[in-house]
Amino acid sequence: MPSTWNALRRYLRKELIFENTAPVITKNKLFNIAHTCGITERSEAIKCLRKLHRCGTLCYFQHPEKLADKVFVDPNWLICLLTAPLDFEQVIMSIRIELTFTKGDGWMNYKDLASQLSSYSINQQNFGIEILEQFNSLFIFENQKSTDKNVLVF
């Protein structure tokens, strides 16, 4: 791996700090950072981006289109986010205590989804729900019998 690519990898791991926001940057911001690390050509930055994705340093998706401009600089954060609504132990507690699932068929109340994501800041929760929708991992439906929303989780 070229030294400039390693410089970018080190920068992404150590220099970027995300407190109450999701560890995500735009592709343009990544290109600017790459430029400061010595990667001056956009085509080389894209090659580096793809390589770092394959190595697991970051996550970058060209599809769906709404995610194509986002670079997830902490893959573990993304994995935890994507699996949080399916956290088996918490789901079982929801079933026992609040009966939020109907016969374990993947439906849950929107409020319960928020509690599944409670370890994230509000900004991260909102962003996370948006990302889960982009990956078609959950769908939000208005409940016609009340003001609550229902969520179908895959």
Side-chain angles (χ1 to χ4, degrees), residues 18 28 68 108 118 122 133:
F18 301 92
N28 282 335
M108 70 184 339
S118 64
I122 296 297
E133 287 181 291

Side-chain angles (χ1 to χ4, degrees), residues 47-60:
K47 287 178 189 175
C48 179
L49 176 63
R50 289 180 180 149
K51 174 69 172 181
L52 294 176
H53 173 83
R54 284 192 306 271
C55 292
T57 300
L58 54 79
C59 289
Y60 166 67

Side-chain angles (χ1 to χ4, degrees), residues 97-112:
I97 296 170
E98 300 172 25
L99 300 174
T100 56
F101 279 81
T102 306
K103 300 176 187 171
D105 60 4
W107 285 95
M108 70 184 339
N109 187 288
Y110 189 85
K111 292 174 190 169
D112 297 321

